[in-house]
Amino acid sequence: NAGVTQTPKFRILKIGQSMTLQCTQDMNHNYMYWYRQDPGMGLKLIYYSVGAGITDKGEVPNGYNVSRSTTEDFPLRLELAAPSQTSVYFCASSTPRQVGELFFGEGSRLTVL
Amino acid sequence: LAKTTQPISMDSYEGQEVNITCSHNNIATNDYITWYQQFPSQGPRFIIQGYKTKVTNEVASLFIPADRKSSTLSLPRVSLSDTAVYYCLVGGEDSSYKLIFGSGTRLLVRP
């Protein structure tokens, strides 16, 4: 099992550009999450999903969109990138039996210039 | 949603036992308490999870009092490699699985 896979690992965007961060998991987990972590700070929840077709906002959803068409994939879309979105983005997944035991991807480091 | 409060930082020395406490006064009935460790440039790593009383695994113990309004992560005999940020996470069905991390505790282990 690969676990949680995020792509790309690094990306530089110009202000106003859009992009999608990909996240896929092969553990058949129902729950998936997107967090962002600014330098020296904690993790902030952007969006989460408890199953295919179901998504919900976290603490900092503005400027982002998500979709969950399959159990495996949970892409995060940035529209009109801004310097404030420069951060490391982590995708995570878990199961109903072990709520809170999150399996994290390696992160995607995004810089907006 | 249960809000968590942890000390911002702690210092320790190699070989000592370290106890990090997390306050979660409004924890819901079905919420679990989970602790994570994070090194720079890495994603958080699961350490231990519990619901009540005491849980122990090969790396840590988790103590939860009867009222569940706080929890204590205990790291026995820390080493330099335990220098990291430790997060307490509280959540479950009652919070609609909306898992929000607190600010974390930065642990520095000195030689």
Side-chain angles (χ1 to χ4, degrees):
Chain A
N1 286 352
V4 178
T5 302
Q6 292 182 233
T7 57
K9 288 187 170 44
F10 302 92
R11 182 74 186 268
I12 298 175
L13 280 181
K14 293 182 180 178
I15 294 172
Q17 287 185 321
S18 299
M19 76 160 298
T20 300
L21 298 177
Q22 301 290 346
C23 176
T24 186
Q25 52 91 10
D26 60 1
M27 298 173 284
N28 201 32
H29 285 176
N30 296 80
Y31 305 152
M32 295 188 74
Y33 300 81
W34 274 106
Y35 293 91
R36 60 174 286 176
Q37 187 171 37
D38 298 339
M41 305 298 284
L43 296 107
K44 294 293 186 184
L45 179 64
I46 307 171
Y47 270 96
Y48 68 107
S49 169
V50 297
I54 306 169
T55 62
D56 214 338
K57 296 178 180 179
E59 303 171 273
V60 290
N62 291 344
Y64 306 94
N65 279 300
V66 293
S67 60
R68 185 92 183 272
S69 57
T70 67
T71 300
E72 296 78 20
D73 301 306
F74 191 41
L76 176 72
R77 180 142 182 96
L78 282 73
E79 304 282 2
L80 299 174
S84 60
Q85 292 178 304
T86 293
S87 192
V88 179
Y89 292 83
F90 289 103
C91 179
S93 70
S94 72
T95 70
R97 286 195 308 121
Q98 291 287 100
V99 173
E101 185 176 350
L102 294 164
F103 293 79
F104 280 85
E106 294 184 347
S108 297
R109 186 177 297 274
L110 176 66
T111 302
V112 182
L113 300 174
Chain B
L1 293 174
K3 178 179 166 55
T4 60
T5 303
Q6 303 173 232
I8 293 174
S9 64
M10 296 181 67
D11 277 17
S12 183
Y13 291 92
E14 279 192 293
Q16 288 188 331
E17 178 184 74
V18 170
N19 295 308
I20 306 174
T21 296
C22 179
S23 172
H24 29 80
N25 290 321
N26 59 338
I27 187 169
T29 302
N30 294 314
D31 281 349
Y32 280 79
I33 300 157
T34 315
W35 284 81
Y36 288 84
Q37 176 191 58
Q38 187 181 30
F39 298 114
S41 302
Q42 294 185 23
R45 184 176 71 100
F46 171 87
I47 301 174
I48 196 166
Q49 184 180 72
Y51 181 77
K52 61 181 179 181
T53 63
K54 177 184 174 183
V55 180
T56 298
N57 63 21
E58 62 276 8
V59 298
S61 294
L62 178 59
F63 298 91
I64 305 169
D67 66 5
R68 303 201 329 123
K69 293 183 184 299
S70 67
S71 58
T72 299
L73 174 72
S74 181
L75 304 172
R77 298 180 299 282
V78 294
S79 65
L80 297 177
S81 63
D82 292 316
T83 293
V85 180
Y86 292 82
Y87 294 96
C88 160
L89 178 67
V90 174
E93 181 180 358
D94 290 348
S95 60
S96 301
Y97 307 108
K98 187 174 186 177
L99 300 178
I100 293 177
F101 282 83
S103 301
T105 298
R106 194 173 299 273
L107 173 66
L108 174 63
V109 180
R110 302 176 186 274

